[in-house]
Structures are given as C-alpha cells and as structure tokens.
Amino acid sequence: GGPLAATAAGLRSLPHSPLLPVVVLAGDLPYVSSSTVDRLLDALDGWDAAILSDAGGRWQPLAGAYARPALDAAMLRLGQTTGRPVRLLLNHLRVVTVVDARAAKDCDTPEQLKAARADLEERT
C-alpha cells in the first residue's frame, strides 16, 4: 500500500509509549548512519517531527524522528493510508528539518545503488 501505509502498519506493531519517539527510516537511504539518527532525535525536542532534508530543502519524511502522540494523531486525521503519499502526514505535524545532503540522498535506480555501494566501500 505504499510508504505511508507501511509507516502506519509499523506504528501499529509498536508498543504504545507516548514518551518514546518513533524513528522512520527508508531502506533506500544508504548514507543514513547512527549519528544521523542521533541528530534527528536531538532536533525533535519540542517538535512533532524532525526530518532530513537535502541542501535544496527537499524533505525526506521517511528519514525522521517523530513524537509518538503527534504521529498517532496525524495518522488518525489522515484515515486511509493505502496508496496515499507519505508527505500528507507532514501537513498535520510541526516539522523541523535537519539538513544533511549526503544522508538525504536516496537510491532509486540500480545504478545509484551501485554508486553508493562503491562510495561507501571506498570510505571504509
């Protein structure tokens, strides 16, 4: 049903704890690291969501930390999630961005994935 439906399903599978944030990470973001997640969690303070953006301001809602109560409420407002864009979720949240052009770079083609793998292997 798409990334929004997957996020909703994942949220339903988690134990409900309003004090713990929810981190959402897409599988096509090879440059996201534990330090990226730490930066998102730190930025969440007082916001409904902290999400990655690239240098041009393009948001990556599937790379973010979300306050659980706000995320639950936004999902409830959205209702049906199947086949709907995940960006709709952000319309119901107070969002702060964490700019990181590298971490926000996704891989949508086999060529991009191959290049990212080569880049990551070169850096290790």
Side-chain angles (χ1 to χ4, degrees), residues 6 36 40 107:
T36 307
L40 290 166
C107 292

Side-chain angles (χ1 to χ4, degrees), residues 3-107:
L4 182 60
T7 302
L11 190 59
R12 286 190 303 271
S13 74
L14 293 174
H16 190 271
S17 176
L19 300 178
L20 294 178
V22 175
V23 176
V24 176
L25 297 173
D28 66 348
L29 297 165
Y31 295 105
V32 170
S33 66
S34 61
S35 66
T36 307
V37 173
D38 289 342
R39 289 178 56 215
L40 290 166
L41 290 168
D42 289 343
L44 184 59
D45 187 37
W47 293 89
D48 296 334
I51 62 168
L52 280 182
S53 76
D54 64 17
R58 192 181 117 222
W59 290 4
Q60 281 284 9
L62 294 175
Y66 294 84
R68 179 68 188 257
L71 185 57
D72 286 339
M75 287 291 188
L76 188 62
R77 277 188 226 109
L78 283 175
Q80 175 63 32
T81 57
T82 301
R84 298 181 76 192
V86 73
R87 292 188 185 281
L88 291 177
L89 185 64
L90 302 179
N91 295 337
H92 301 283
L93 299 170
R94 293 173 310 113
V95 177
V96 64
T97 57
V98 174
V99 178
D100 187 328
R102 182 173 167 79
K105 185 176 180 181
D106 58 2
C107 292

Side-chain angles (χ1 to χ4, degrees), residues 100-114:
D100 187 328
R102 182 173 167 79
K105 185 176 180 181
D106 58 2
C107 292
D108 295 326
T109 67
E111 294 78 21
Q112 289 172 333
L113 179 58
K114 184 177 177 180

